[in-house]
Amino acid sequence: MNPRDVKTIADAKQIVKERELTHVKVGLFDNDGVMLGKYMSRDKFFSSLEGGFAFCDVVLGWDVKDQLYDNAKYTGWHTGYPDAPVRIIPSSCRELPFEDGGMLLFLAEFDQAASEICPRGTLQRVLAQGKEMGFDAFAALEYEFFLFDETPASIREKGFRNLKPFTPDWMGYSIIRNTVHSDLYHQILKLGETMDFPIEGLHTETGPGVLEAAIAVDDASAAGDKGALFKTFMKVLAQRNNLMATFMAKWSKDYPGQSGHIHLSLRHRKGKLKGKSAFYDAEQKHNMSKLQRHFLAGQQRLMPEFLCMVAPTLNSYRRLIPGFWAPTHATWGVENRTTSLRVIPGSEKSQRTEYRLGSADGNPYLALSAALASGLYGIMQEWEPEEEIVGNSYEQEHPSELALPTTLWEAAQRFKASKAARTMFGDAFVEHFAASREWEEREFRKHISDWELDRYFEII
């Protein structure tokens, strides 16, 4: 049996038996999009397929350095960090090409009360609201990432300074680079095919050692899984080649930031329009249907309120500065890459919006949730977008209400106060995720930077 043919619990059991596996790997994703998991014995796996299993909920209550939040209500020392129920998703079965013996990977997600703050569960709730409104959502994620000729040990020995990029100079879309290093490129492409996140396009971007990968479109639930798996296993592949990949939003002040763009479209679920694009209307300007305009308006109006879901780290805000291919206001344009939202006119099949604001460090489940939920809310409210931006958005004045928060703390406060966020994601998620971003900001405030030492140590 092929892993892609696994759909049910019975299928999952069958493929494990066929491969005579004694163990399988099971993984899930935390607030920051970090994949966590373990090897599980076959008997335990079979039992968990039927009734779920327990996973310590501390993984929903700590940061990327395993430091415990002190401000979260859902879990903490006050709850004793109990186990939370988790369910395995049979249809998520993947081949693990790096491990001998036909090893398989299955994704899992938190269940019951924990599902209210689980990133994958959050996306599922948004998609369910879309379905109730009569829409199926489709998405394609794109990621830029830098490769370095370094190892986890060497970057720490160097104190993260004077790192050697995989390739030198600024050579975007370079045939020289992807031919000289074609072995690595083919490994990346093959990984995407084997693990079912097929890559539609792969090329060098502007900057030393930076690549961009565009993952093929799929229904939005699968697109979230594919984005999260791509980021995880791109890092694995790089390290197995004695390289390192980073998805930091901006690792150096000297180079452009790294984006995580999201292409989105809706299709009707039922009636005589079933399967047809909800965004395409050939009789309207730019082929934009009324529904696409409402969707776009929701994305635009709620971008400042939902920003911490798509720009979730302190480093995200280093990227959101003028002139570096990252917008600072919630703007839109047609085929305009200086705006936050890019309308891409096309056929009934290809008409879509591109949510360009997102950075590569975002949790794919949450960034996709924010981009989709804001659009759906716009349809609910029948909002209309602001005027289309023509020309260089960076050089134009924009209404103050379209300005984006400039710090993670400010973004978390806007999110926490958002009525739309609570409607689309639920109070439990909003409170927990906002608290986790506040924690991240407070951890940063404890840090004494090289800039401060150089600026103040002697002279003040």
Side-chain angles (χ1 to χ4, degrees), residues 58-132:
V58 71
V59 302
L60 295 172
W62 68 20
D63 64 18
V64 292
K65 289 290 188 179
D66 294 2
Q67 299 304 299
L68 306 173
Y69 303 146
D70 63 7
N71 60 341
K73 295 178 182 177
Y74 171 76
T75 191
W77 291 118
H78 61 288
T79 65
Y81 295 108
D83 284 343
V86 171
R87 70 179 194 92
I88 295 171
I89 304 154
S91 60
S92 68
C93 181
R94 256 79 174 182
E95 194 90 38
L96 270 179
F98 306 117
E99 303 188 29
D100 294 334
M103 179 57 66
L104 297 172
L105 169 71
F106 287 84
L107 298 183
E109 64 182 5
F110 283 97
D111 204 357
Q112 299 177 28
S115 70
E116 296 180 6
I117 60 174
C118 171
R120 191 179 192 277
T122 298
L123 176 58
Q124 297 306 310
R125 290 196 303 280
V126 173
L127 292 173
Q129 290 181 73
K131 285 178 170 33
E132 289 179 8

Side-chain angles (χ1 to χ4, degrees), residues 226-272:
K226 292 179 179 186
L229 287 167
F230 169 76
K231 288 183 64 177
T232 300
F233 285 93
M234 187 61 240
K235 296 171 191 172
V236 172
L237 177 64
Q239 291 190 32
R240 291 178 68 89
N241 282 276
N242 293 313
L243 302 171
M244 288 201 72
T246 184
F247 289 83
M248 281 184 68
K250 195 168 178 67
W251 74 272
S252 168
K253 66 180 179 62
D254 299 320
Y255 304 117
Q258 299 182 96
S259 65
H261 298 160
I262 303 170
H263 294 255
L264 271 172
S265 63
L266 299 180
R267 292 193 170 273
H268 294 284
R269 279 181 57 78
K270 49 195 173 185
K272 62 182 181 181

Side-chain angles (χ1 to χ4, degrees), residues 3-20:
R4 297 188 190 186
D5 295 329
V6 175
K7 305 298 181 187
T8 66
I9 290 174
D11 292 339
K13 291 181 177 180
Q14 180 182 338
I15 193 171
V16 171
K17 289 177 180 176
E18 286 178 356
R19 297 191 176 207
E20 299 181 343

